[in-house]
C-alpha cells in the first residue's frame, strides 16, 4: 500500500515510503534506499522548479530592458541580415534589413563596411567602436556604435561557422553638438565670427602645405586698422565693436576664393591667407588698394552717425618650396609696421 502511494508523475506531492516499524531485513534496506532516491528526486525537482521560475523572471526583466532601453540593440548576421532589434534601434536607424543597408545608412559607410568585413573574416578583436553620422530629415545625427562578436555559448549558429555581430548604438547627437559649440567658441572670435589665432593657424598651415608643388602661390596678408583707437576713446567700445564687426564681415566678402582663410588675430589686427592664381598676383597691388578702400568705407553706428577707419596692409608671397607659418607672420607683421611708420593707409608686398 505504501508503494502504491508513490506517484512519480506528481513530483510536487512525491512522498517517501512510511513503515510503522523499521525493518532490518533486505526489504527494509530496499525501502531505505528507495526513500533516499525519492527524497533526492523531489529535492532535485523543487530546485529545478525554482530555477525555472528565477530564469523566467530574469528573462522577463531582460526582455523589458531590451524593449524599453534608450540605446539601440541589434543582432546582425552577415548572411541572414538583421535577426533581432529593439524599438530604440529601429527608431534611430529606421528600416534596417541587412548588414549592407546598415553600412549604407551612415556617411562613413566605408569605415563601417571595413569593420563589418573584418568581423566577418574574424580579423578583428572581440569588439570595436566608432562614432558615426547620418542624415535624418535634413539634420545630421550622431551615434556611438559598438560592434561585438556574439559568444559561442550564447548562439548555436557559431558552431556552424556563422559569424553573428551584436550592434549597440547610442544617440550622441546632443553631445556632439555641444562639443562642436565648445570647439567653435574656442576657435572663433565671438565678435566677428572669424577664426581666432588658435582656430586660424591650422588652416593657414594647410594652405602653406598645399602651395608646395601647386601652380598657385600662398599669400599672407597682415591687416591693421588705422585710427581705430580714437573711435573707442571718443565714441566708446560699443562703437568700436560695431566697426570691428563691419570690417570682419567685409574682409571675407572681398576674397571670393574658396581657399581663403580670414582671421581676427587680436585687437584691431586681421590676417588673411589664400592660394592665389596668376590673375590675382598680376593685380595684387590693385587688390590691396581695393581692400583698403573697402575697409575705409564709414560704418553706421546708432547714436553716433558714422565711424571711419583705414587700414595698413603687409603682404608676403611665398616663393619657396616651404616655410614656417611663424616666419611668414613675423615678416608680414614687420612689413606692415614698416608701411605704417611711413604712411598709414598704405600697403607693401614682398616675396619670401
Amino acid at each position: 500500500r505504501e508503494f502504491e502511494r508513490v506517484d512519480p508523475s506528481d513530483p510536487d506531492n512525491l512522498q517517501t515510503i512510511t513503515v510503522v516499524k523499521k525493518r532490518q531485513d533486505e526489504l527494509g534496506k530496499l525501502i531505505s534506499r528507495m526513500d533516499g532516491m525519492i527524497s533526492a528526486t523531489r529535492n532535485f525537482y523543487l530546485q529545478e522548479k525554482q530555477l525555472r521560475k528565477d530564469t523566467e523572471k530574469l528573462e522577463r526583466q531582460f526582455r523589458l530592458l531590451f524593449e524599453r532601453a534608450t540605446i539601440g540593440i541589434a543582432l546582425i548576421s552577415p548572411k541572414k541580415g538583421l535577426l533581432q532589434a529593439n524599438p530604440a534601434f529601429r527608431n534611430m536607424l529606421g528600416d534596417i534589413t541587412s548588414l549592407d543597408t546598415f553600412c549604407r545608412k551612415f556617411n562613413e559607410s566605408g569605415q563601417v563596411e571595413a569593420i563589418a568585413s573584418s568581423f566577418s573574416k574574424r580579423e578583428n578583436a572581440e569588439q570595436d567602436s566608432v562614432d558615426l553620422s547620418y542624415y535624418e530629415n535634413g539634420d545630421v545625427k550622431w551615434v556611438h556604435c559598438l560592434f561585438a562578436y556574439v559568444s559561442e555559448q550564447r548562439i548555436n549558429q557559431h558552431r556552424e561557422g556563422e559569424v553573428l555581430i551584436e550592434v549597440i548604438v547610442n544617440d550622441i547627437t546632443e553631445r556632439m553638438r555641444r562639443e562642436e559649440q565648445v570647439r567653435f567658441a574656442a576657435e572663433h572670435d565671438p565678435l566677428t565670427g572669424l577664426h581666432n589665432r588658435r582656430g586660424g593657424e591650422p588652416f593657414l598651415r594647410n594652405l602653406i602645405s598645399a602651395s608646395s608643388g601647386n601652380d598657385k602661390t600662398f599669400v599672407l596678408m597682415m591687416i591693421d586698422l588705422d585710427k581705430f583707437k580714437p573711435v573707442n576713446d571718443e565714441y566708446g567700445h560699443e562703437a568700436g565693436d560695431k566697426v570691428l564687426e563691419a570690417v570682419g564681415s567685409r574682409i571675407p566678402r572681398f576674397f571670393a576664393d574658396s581657399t581663403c582663410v580670414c582671421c581676427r588675430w587680436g585687437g584691431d589686427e586681421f590676417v588673411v591667407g589664400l592660394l592665389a592664381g596668376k590673375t590675382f598676383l598680376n593685380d595684387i597691388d590693385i587688390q590691396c588698394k581695393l581692400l583698403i578702400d573697402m575697409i575705409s568705407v564709414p560704418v553706421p553706428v546708432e547714436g553716433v552717425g558714422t565711424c571711419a577707419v583705414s587700414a595698413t596692409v603687409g603682404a608676403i608671397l611665398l616663393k619657396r618650396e616651404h616655410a614656417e607659418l611663424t616666419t611668414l607672420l613675423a615678416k608680414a607683421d614687420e612689413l606692415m609696421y614698416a608701411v605704417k611708420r611711413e604712411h598709414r593707409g598704405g600697403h607693401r608686398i614682398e616675396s619670401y
Side-chain angles (χ1 to χ4, degrees), residues 213-233:
N214 199 318
D215 58 351
K216 292 186 176 182
T217 300
F218 176 69
V219 179
L220 183 71
M221 293 184 177
M222 182 72 72
I223 305 166
D224 186 76
L225 301 186
D226 301 319
K227 302 177 183 178
F228 177 73
K229 188 175 183 300
V231 172
N232 276 334
D233 294 342

Side-chain angles (χ1 to χ4, degrees), residues 82-138:
L82 186 70
L83 301 180
Q84 195 170 19
N86 70 342
F89 184 91
R90 298 186 185 279
N91 290 338
M92 270 189 268
L93 303 180
D95 186 22
I96 301 294
T97 57
S98 66
L99 184 59
D100 183 55
T101 57
F102 175 78
C103 294
R104 288 189 284 106
K105 174 71 178 181
F106 301 103
N107 299 325
E108 304 83 0
S109 57
Q111 188 176 2
V112 184
E113 288 171 358
I115 293 174
S117 176
S118 64
F119 269 87
S120 299
K121 298 175 182 177
R122 294 183 176 273
E123 296 174 348
N124 214 332
E126 287 299 312
Q127 63 181 35
D128 201 350
S129 63
V130 64
D131 291 340
L132 302 170
S133 64
Y134 63 96
Y135 286 101
E136 182 178 278
N137 299 325

Side-chain angles (χ1 to χ4, degrees), residues 193-206:
L194 300 178
H195 287 292
N196 57 20
R197 186 186 299 248
R198 175 182 175 180
E201 285 184 352
F203 288 95
L204 294 172
R205 289 193 176 92
N206 288 340

Side-chain angles (χ1 to χ4, degrees), residues 234-255:
E234 186 172 349
Y235 302 113
H237 288 285
E238 287 188 9
D241 288 348
K242 290 292 183 183
V243 171
L244 289 173
E245 285 182 45
V247 173
S249 64
R250 290 174 184 176
I251 293 175
R253 289 202 303 269
F254 182 83
F255 297 96

Side-chain angles (χ1 to χ4, degrees), residues 62-80:
F62 278 114
R63 173 56 59 179
L64 191 63
L65 287 172
F66 180 78
E67 295 294 337
R68 297 188 180 182
T70 57
I71 61 173
I73 307 170
L75 187 65
I76 300 179
S77 163
K79 296 179 181 179
K80 299 179 181 178

Side-chain angles (χ1 to χ4, degrees), residues 6-33:
V6 178
D7 184 6
S9 65
D10 185 16
D12 280 315
N13 298 311
L14 195 61
Q15 300 295 328
T16 56
I17 300 170
T18 303
V19 180
V20 176
K21 185 179 179 181
K22 191 171 182 181
R23 301 172 63 109
Q24 300 297 324
D25 56 8
E26 290 293 327
L27 187 57
K29 293 179 181 179
L30 179 61
I31 292 173
S32 177
R33 291 176 181 176

Side-chain angles (χ1 to χ4, degrees), residues 309-320:
V309 295
S310 183
T312 300
V313 177
I316 299 293
L317 311 184
L318 180 58
K319 296 295 185 179
R320 305 186 182 196

